[in-house]
Amino acid sequence: MRVDESPETDANMDPATAFSVIASETRLDILEALWRAEDRPVRFSELFDAVDLSDSGQFNYHLQELTGQFVSQGADGYDLRHAGAQVIRAVRAGTFTRTPDIDPFRVTGACTRCGGGLLAEYADEQFAIDCEDCGKAHGEYPFPPGGLVDRTPAEVATAFAERVRHLHCLAADGVCPDCAGRMRTDISRDGDCCLDVSVRAEFVCEQCRHELCSPVGLTLLDDSRVTAFYDDHGVDLSSRPYWTLPWCVDDQYTTVEGTDPWRLAVRIPLAEAELTAYLDRDLQPVEFERQACGH
């Protein structure tokens, strides 16, 4: 089934109107109450009791303003629509309300270039991990402010590593991690990049314009053949932060074997063995080759 965009229909709401609808503390409280409800749909009386408003008429007015785009109404009561849930998720993630200021902290692992310590710094909703000694960049990626709440620095680092892993693997599969729109994959070879690599993957959503940039190897972290390779050596790849894996942050493990069509090779050394993944222009693995190191 293909869904075409229809800019002017009764089923669509223009962005300005949508934001004006939720620009009310009472309406956000209603959405929050629905989000917190253990059982949904929620009857009118139960929803009214959950919101700090004494006038049922005013409450009903605000509820009806939400109904349709953000809230659904049925015979059994009211429920959150996807748009309503997204509003609450954005609020709780701190996307619009928090500007945290945290001190840099050290993370596990060593610089893949010089062996120095690694430092994580947070600014503008981005974490950057760099070597304290030589300054080598080990990736800079988005992380919502809500991810810092009630977590120690070590827990934040773990959450950040998991988020990076899944965001980029999802993007490589052509799905935008923000809006689920179609993600376009480009391969870039210029040097203008904060990742300190010359060959990188660039992902752009054709719908919301969300952008991600990564070394090529990072897109392989969730591949079953790569995880199996690590399992065969008694290593749980899911427990390894990406910045401790040289093939996820360094250029020397990625080779451009052709550009017409694109063919990239990513070497993944481990112990006395090596797995090479061959990728096409969409960064989809087309072949794997395993051999002992030095052969």
Side-chain angles (χ1 to χ4, degrees):
M1 179 179 70
R2 185 180 183 88
V3 179
D4 294 322
E5 183 181 359
S6 349
E8 298 295 338
T9 71
D10 292 340
N12 292 331
M13 179 181 291
D14 67 83
T17 301
F19 280 107
S20 69
V21 168
I22 58 174
S24 159
E25 183 176 353
T26 297
R27 295 173 193 176
L28 290 175
D29 286 346
I30 292 172
L31 294 177
E32 176 86 16
L34 281 170
W35 184 82
R36 289 181 176 277
E38 293 184 4
D39 297 306
R40 295 199 297 261
V42 181
R43 295 192 177 279
F44 180 93
S45 58
E46 296 171 352
L47 190 56
F48 176 61
D49 290 341
V51 176
D52 186 19
L53 191 67
S54 59
D55 188 329
S56 62
Q58 279 293 312
F59 173 81
N60 183 59
Y61 165 74
H62 288 295
L63 178 58
Q64 294 309 312
E65 287 294 296
L66 292 169
T67 300
Q69 186 70 14
F70 301 99
V71 173
S72 63
Q73 179 181 7
D76 296 327
Y78 297 86
D79 200 350
L80 273 179
R81 296 195 66 191
H82 179 71
Q86 288 291 84
V87 169
I88 295 303
R89 291 189 187 106
V91 171
R92 297 186 69 84
T95 303
F96 306 122
T97 57
R98 296 181 183 142
T99 308
D101 182 18
I102 64 172
D103 294 329
F105 60 89
R106 289 182 175 84
V107 295
T108 185
C111 175
T112 59
R113 175 191 288 162
C114 75
L118 299 176
L119 200 66
E121 297 187 72
Y122 189 73
D124 297 327
E125 299 188 15
Q126 300 261 339
F127 261 119
I129 296 182
D130 300 314
C131 176
E132 293 183 276
D133 295 337
C134 72
K136 174 179 167 53
H138 287 62
E140 181 177 346
Y141 305 109
F143 192 73
L148 306 174
V149 177
D150 295 329
R151 282 187 172 132
T152 65
E155 291 171 334
V156 169
T158 298
F160 172 64
E162 287 297 321
R163 178 176 171 81
V164 170
R165 174 191 303 267
H166 295 300
L167 286 183
H168 289 79
C169 291
L170 191 63
D173 286 337
V175 180
C176 176
D178 264 15
C179 76
R182 189 186 304 276
M183 208 80 172
R184 187 182 74 245
T185 301
D186 293 317
I187 300 169
S188 177
R189 302 180 71 179
D190 66 60
D192 184 20
C193 180
C194 63
L195 297 176
D196 200 18
V197 295
S198 59
V199 180
R200 65 185 185 275
E202 295 183 344
F203 307 102
V204 180
C205 177
E206 295 178 355
Q207 180 166 272
C208 74
R209 308 304 297 171
H210 179 68
E211 297 182 11
L212 287 170
C213 178
S214 75
V216 174
L218 198 59
T219 65
L220 292 167
L221 278 172
D222 276 353
D223 190 279
S224 60
R225 290 149 294 190
V226 177
T227 56
F229 176 61
Y230 272 78
D231 286 342
D232 290 346
H233 290 81
V235 179
D236 179 9
L237 182 58
S238 66
S239 67
R240 296 283 302 273
Y242 80 85
W243 57 82
T244 66
L245 303 166
W247 50 275
C248 285
V249 295
D250 289 342
D251 250 355
Q252 68 190 77
Y253 297 91
T254 299
T255 303
V256 178
E257 296 199 332
T259 59
D260 188 22
W262 279 97
R263 181 176 169 89
L264 305 174
V266 179
R267 294 188 301 106
I268 304 173
L270 181 63
E272 300 302 318
E274 183 172 281
L275 180 70
T276 301
Y278 298 93
L279 314 177
D280 63 16
R281 74 155 316 279
D282 295 317
L283 301 184
Q284 296 303 303
V286 295
E287 182 185 350
F288 284 86
E289 181 181 43
R290 187 187 294 208
Q291 61 184 25
C293 286
H295 293 277

